[in-house]
Amino acid sequence: MSWHAVSSRGSSPLAWRLFMPRAWAEDPARRIVARVPPGLEHRTKPELALEMLDELAAAGLHPPLVLADSLYGQNVAFRHGLTDRGIPWLLAVPGITTVPPANVGAHGFPARKPGPQGHRVWHDT
């Protein structure tokens, strides 16, 4: 995983982490072979991304915008984490996601189960 600074002239990595899948974190034999340090535990990609953003902020780097794929766009904690940090974001979501009108508060919008067409309602409850 990585954060990059991007401009019309190119991009440069600013921070990066090696993501460790849960299966690796929970397999003592695999950890030994891969030499995974004892204190290193599984963290989700959105958790790692927010942690790296905090480290960049501590170094005085503040992104003007965060772009990410639907793995991050579907994660309520990640979206809230960006908003809480004052970072504008544009995150992908699956095509079946329904977004309520802007005048409907996120917590006031009732959650619905997927309907016959598999449509879901976007909500942050």
Side-chain angles (χ1 to χ4, degrees):
M1 309 186 37
S2 60
W3 284 112
H4 292 254
V6 180
S7 74
S8 60
R9 294 173 48 160
S11 72
S12 178
L14 300 174
W16 53 87
R17 293 283 188 287
L18 180 61
F19 170 74
M20 182 172 54
R22 184 177 303 276
W24 281 63
E26 296 174 352
D27 184 339
R30 184 179 269 173
R31 289 179 69 102
I32 291 168
V33 172
R35 297 185 180 151
V36 175
L40 186 63
E41 298 299 325
H42 167 76
R43 308 273 318 262
T44 68
K45 289 181 179 184
E47 289 170 337
L48 291 171
L50 291 173
E51 180 181 292
M52 287 189 291
L53 280 173
D54 290 340
E55 290 174 9
L56 291 172
L61 299 172
H62 305 280
L65 175 69
V66 166
L67 304 173
D69 64 32
S70 63
L71 180 135
Y72 300 90
Q74 294 181 91
N75 188 290
V76 174
F78 184 71
R79 294 192 317 264
H80 282 284
L82 293 175
T83 299
D84 292 346
R85 288 163 176 81
I87 302 171
W89 47 268
L90 180 59
L91 307 173
V93 293
I96 62 171
T97 303
T98 303
V99 180
N103 63 348
V104 176
H107 295 287
F109 199 72
R112 293 189 302 204
K113 293 183 179 178
Q117 293 83 28
H119 293 288
R120 291 179 286 175
V121 175
W122 181 283
H123 60 93
D124 289 339
T125 56

